[in-house]
Each structure stands twice: as structure tokens, then as C-alpha cells.
Amino acid sequence: MAGRKGIEVVRNLDVQRYMGRWYEIASFPSFFQPKNGVNTRATYTLKDDGTVNVLNETWSDGKRSYIEGTAYKADPNSDEAKLKVKFYVPPFLPIIPVTGDYWVLYLDDDYQYALIGGPTKKYLWILCRQTHMDDEIYNMLLQKATDDGYDVSKLHKTPQSDPPPEAAEGPVDSKGIWWIISIFGK
């Protein structure tokens, strides 16, 4: 469509500063996350080859579910924070690669909160280094997402405990089928 503004993304992302743990404050519900997930978070670790190890965790019905993947720049020659994230499914038999877009739409100067989306506008995440976010910041990120054409009425706030659980707390969903169950809305 002529004259339509594209989605602006962060430029010159300092990948080292972006590493670490991020808590999901809100997101669009998606088929690959449990519908009743709480304490959802992502931990990013830089690998020697320049890619990023992604550990996504959530707690559902008292059990920790997780999936690991890899993130990398979509275009190594671009200064835009447009990444690809690759996971293998099913987690218990990683044979099928599933790749998605991870665009950093907004990031504060101190790398404390971020807005993540992609070109299809089917996914949106509000992330924070803390388990809770100030309403003023949250509303600013909502406005940015709205300005970029996202339907923020789809956002679902993610319940977060304070303090958050440690990885070893609670039993792990060892069957590896949480992603199948979530597809059917269970």
C-alpha cells in the first residue's frame, strides 16, 4: 500500500547488553505457549559463534515447561534488530526446525524493557528485566505497538511472582508435550 509506514525497529542493538533474563509482562496468546502459563521468561546467552542461545520457560499447573533455541541476525549486514529464532519440535525429539521473526521494536537506553514483534503482527511481547513494570512505561509501549499497527486489545498480561521461581523449583514437564497441549487450548 503506497504511503504506508513500515515497522521501525531498533538499530545498532548492543547484543552483549541485551543478554540475560527478561520477564514476559504481556504477550499475544500463541499456539506455542501454554494457555495458563505464569512466570514466563526468556534467558539469552551469547554463544562463541555469535548466535544467541534462547531458553524460554513458563510454569503451567505447577510444572516448569521450557524450550531452547537459537537466535541470529536475519541479515548479518544490517544494523536493524531483526532477528530469527529457531526452535526444534517436538522438544523431546528435535527433528523439525521452526523459525520465527524476533524484531526489537523498542528498547530503552538502559536495556531494562523491550517491545518485541514481527512483520506479520501476529506476535507481540512486552519484556522487562523485572517481574513487574511501571504503568507509565507499559502504556508507552502499548502506544508504540498501536502506532506500529498492532491490535493491542489481544495483549494478555502474564502473571509473575515476586520473587520469581528458580529453574529448579517444581517438577519439570518431562513429557515434552506442553506445546501440543497448548495448541488445543488445554
Side-chain angles (χ1 to χ4, degrees):
M1 180 182 269
R4 186 171 176 198
K5 182 182 101 166
I7 298 174
E8 290 185 28
V9 299
V10 168
R11 292 183 178 274
N12 301 310
L13 176 72
D14 184 337
V15 176
Q16 285 280 17
R17 288 183 70 197
Y18 198 77
M19 296 299 97
R21 178 158 295 157
W22 290 88
Y23 296 95
E24 181 183 277
I25 301 302
S27 68
F28 284 179
S30 60
F31 71 89
F32 51 83
Q33 286 183 269
K35 304 292 183 220
N36 61 345
V38 300
N39 296 312
T40 304
R41 63 191 183 199
T43 305
Y44 305 124
T45 310
L46 192 59
K47 296 196 247 183
D48 291 339
D49 65 1
T51 63
V52 175
N53 184 73
V54 177
L55 171 63
N56 288 342
E57 301 171 281
T58 193
W59 277 256
S60 177
D61 299 324
K63 292 183 179 178
R64 175 180 166 260
S65 299
Y66 67 94
I67 190 166
E68 286 193 74
T70 302
Y72 52 93
K73 285 191 80 167
D75 177 356
N77 299 317
S78 173
D79 68 346
E80 293 182 309
K82 292 181 177 180
L83 300 131
K84 292 284 189 183
V85 181
K86 184 189 306 183
F87 295 98
Y88 286 90
V89 294
F92 54 88
L93 183 63
I95 54 173
I96 303 168
V98 177
T99 305
D101 292 296
Y102 184 108
W103 289 9
V104 183
L105 306 176
Y106 183 87
L107 180 64
D108 72 301
D109 291 340
D110 294 327
Y111 285 62
Q112 295 300 301
Y113 48 90
L115 181 67
I116 310 300
T120 65
K121 300 180 184 168
K122 292 181 182 177
Y123 305 107
L124 187 68
W125 291 272
I126 293 177
L127 304 178
C128 187
R129 297 288 190 177
Q130 306 298 319
T131 56
H132 297 86
M133 178 180 281
D134 183 70
D135 286 341
E136 185 177 327
I137 294 169
Y138 183 80
N139 291 332
M140 182 271 298
L141 294 173
L142 286 182
Q143 187 59 56
K144 164 72 174 137
T146 300
D147 292 348
D148 282 345
Y150 287 86
D151 179 1
V152 297
S153 69
K154 295 180 187 176
L155 271 175
H156 169 76
K157 285 197 172 182
T158 306
Q160 294 283 351
S161 300
D162 198 13
E166 291 301 318
E169 288 184 21
V172 173
D173 176 6
S174 59
K175 295 178 185 167
I177 60 171
W178 64 270
W179 64 277
I180 295 173
I181 293 170
S182 69
I183 290 172
F184 299 107
K186 303 290 182 194

